Amino acid sequence: MSRQASFGAGLWGGALALLLTGCQAGLRPIAALNQPLSGLGDSQSPSLNSNWLALISSRPGSRAQVQLIDRLRHAPVPLPGLNRPDSLPISVAVDQRGERLALVRQRDDRSELVIHRRSLQASQVVPIEPAGVPQRVSLSADGRVLAVEVSRGGLWQVDLLELP
Amino acid sequence: MACTAVTALGLSGCSLWPLRRQPAAPAGLAAESRQQPALSGDGRLLASLVDRGGRTTVLLQERRTGRVLPLRQLRNRQPHSSPSLSWNGRYLALLVQQGGRRQAVIEDRATGQQHPLFLPADQEPQQLSLAPDGQSIALELITGGSRRLQVFSLAAMLEPDRAPGLLESGGGPPLQP
């Protein structure tokens, strides 16, 4: 009986190992991209597409900031006009072209939703109507639809905006 | 001129681009709490988290009509979190509960297959983002008390889910003008 149990456990373990190995074979770290990421300190709020990775990074003693990594060059690109010394980014999303970034940030003790266009180096604050506190943002890869999680009157809601 | 266009749409203040608001809550869901929205690459589908009998559950809907699309494979693996959709919504990646820890999985809505993403025991996924083509995924991992992002290729696991008009890899010769 114990031999049968042992045999069964062995079979199960082998099958599990095979399953794990098989699945792991499909999940391969992209070293060329992970290397620059490891140099950014703590990082969170990823927004990935085949060309770009947007994220929020922070190092001890310095303010968190939005980073946009060019996946072809495996390096961050400058974001003039987006990161401000008086604001703290909370959530970020980028479209497929890397042209539009949607950002929720905290500024002067309030949260605001911002759309940034890289080619114009310009940011637009989008009013939350009815009033609410934005928290997390999603931008469709085609850059045309924005979904934002908003806390409103004790309820979490999702606001949708269509961009031209 | 841009200001006028924005004001006409009910937004206040000057604006660089006109925006159009769409009610996010389709019929029957207006009073329901919804979190962590995720749009498909083409903006057609919306995934969000809702409460179902005290369990945080992912809900997949057509954005314009509110029609709910079935996700049978994900039942009984709540709480769900961090949904992320591919371009046409074929793939839904999210975090589910597996035993005592969170696990990243990808549901293929075309085949009904579920692809679990196994990570080392000392790495706990907190958030994820699936590339719209389904060929890579970024995972926010807690490792040794710090948050790190790592990007993984899924090319050996998933077929591409690209925007219409883009050639599949290995899909034949380029189109002739």
Side-chain angles (χ1 to χ4, degrees), chain B:
Chain B
M1 186 64 182
C3 288
T4 308
V6 169
T7 306
L9 288 168
L11 303 183
S12 59
C14 187
S15 170
L16 293 171
W17 319 285
L19 304 168
R20 187 184 303 276
R21 292 178 190 273
Q22 180 201 325
L29 295 173
E32 191 171 34
S33 193
R34 294 150 64 89
Q35 289 183 268
Q36 298 186 17
L39 293 158
S40 58
D42 59 5
R44 190 176 63 85
L45 300 182
L46 170 71
S48 61
L49 300 179
V50 296
D51 184 278
R52 289 286 179 268
R55 307 169 85 184
T56 304
T57 303
V58 69
L59 182 74
L60 183 63
Q61 294 173 282
E62 288 180 354
R63 178 176 60 87
R64 288 191 179 278
T65 66
R67 186 168 78 94
V68 176
L69 305 173
L71 293 169
R72 296 187 181 88
Q73 303 287 330
L74 297 169
R75 288 177 185 166
N76 303 319
R77 301 189 71 185
Q78 293 97 337
H80 300 154
S81 62
S82 196
S84 184
L85 288 161
S86 60
W87 191 280
N88 301 292
R90 172 175 174 175
Y91 301 113
L92 170 65
L94 76 164
L95 301 178
V96 300
Q97 196 70 19
Q98 179 66 40
R101 55 177 289 165
R102 289 179 187 174
Q103 184 180 49
V105 298
I106 300 173
E107 169 144 333
D108 183 345
R109 295 177 53 245
T111 64
Q113 269 190 302
Q114 203 172 87
H115 302 272
L117 307 182
F118 294 104
L119 295 165
D122 64 339
Q123 295 184 347
E124 181 92 8
Q126 295 295 301
Q127 201 171 334
L128 59 78
S129 176
L130 178 69
D133 62 5
Q135 296 299 281
S136 55
I137 190 168
L139 296 175
E140 179 186 319
L141 303 168
I142 299 279
T143 310
S146 64
R147 287 174 187 266
R148 302 279 177 187
L149 293 186
Q150 281 207 41
V151 183
F152 298 87
S153 171
L154 301 171
M157 187 185 290
L158 305 179
E159 292 176 354
D161 184 26
R162 298 206 170 106
L166 292 180
L167 286 175
E168 302 285 314
S169 55
L175 296 172
Q176 298 299 317

Side-chain angles (χ1 to χ4, degrees), chain A:
Chain A
M1 185 68 182
S2 64
R3 183 178 292 178
Q4 276 185 338
S6 169
F7 180 68
L11 267 181
W12 169 244
L16 185 64
L18 194 64
L19 183 68
L20 287 172
T21 309
C23 290
Q24 282 300 104
L27 188 66
R28 184 175 52 81
I30 302 177
L33 190 54
N34 292 332
Q35 196 167 0
L37 284 175
S38 65
L40 293 176
D42 271 20
S43 44
Q44 56 189 303
S45 186
S47 174
L48 181 72
N49 60 54
S50 53
N51 300 321
W52 304 95
L53 169 63
L55 58 106
I56 296 170
S57 72
S58 57
R59 296 173 189 277
S62 65
R63 245 188 141 67
Q65 56 180 317
V66 175
Q67 304 272 1
L68 183 63
I69 298 190
D70 182 339
R71 289 191 60 176
L72 295 177
R73 299 179 181 179
H74 310 299
V77 297
L79 292 171
L82 182 61
N83 288 304
R84 299 172 53 116
D86 62 347
S87 68
L88 192 65
I90 297 171
S91 175
V92 67
V94 65
D95 70 2
Q96 178 83 9
R97 294 184 303 146
E99 164 63 7
R100 284 177 169 156
L101 289 100
L103 173 69
V104 174
R105 66 186 180 195
Q106 194 161 17
R107 190 171 157 223
D108 297 333
D109 294 330
R110 60 186 169 82
S111 293
E112 61 185 17
L113 172 65
V114 173
I115 300 173
H116 180 82
R117 283 186 68 171
R118 275 208 313 138
S119 62
L120 301 177
Q121 299 183 11
S123 296
Q124 172 190 353
V125 175
V126 180
I128 303 295
E129 295 177 353
V133 180
Q135 180 68 25
R136 192 184 288 229
V137 70
S138 170
L139 181 63
S140 63
D142 64 10
R144 293 181 180 168
V145 188
L146 186 66
V148 58
E149 175 190 271
V150 178
S151 172
R152 190 176 278 134
L155 198 66
W156 287 104
Q157 297 180 324
V158 173
D159 286 5
L160 292 168
L161 298 102
E162 292 180 356
L163 311 177

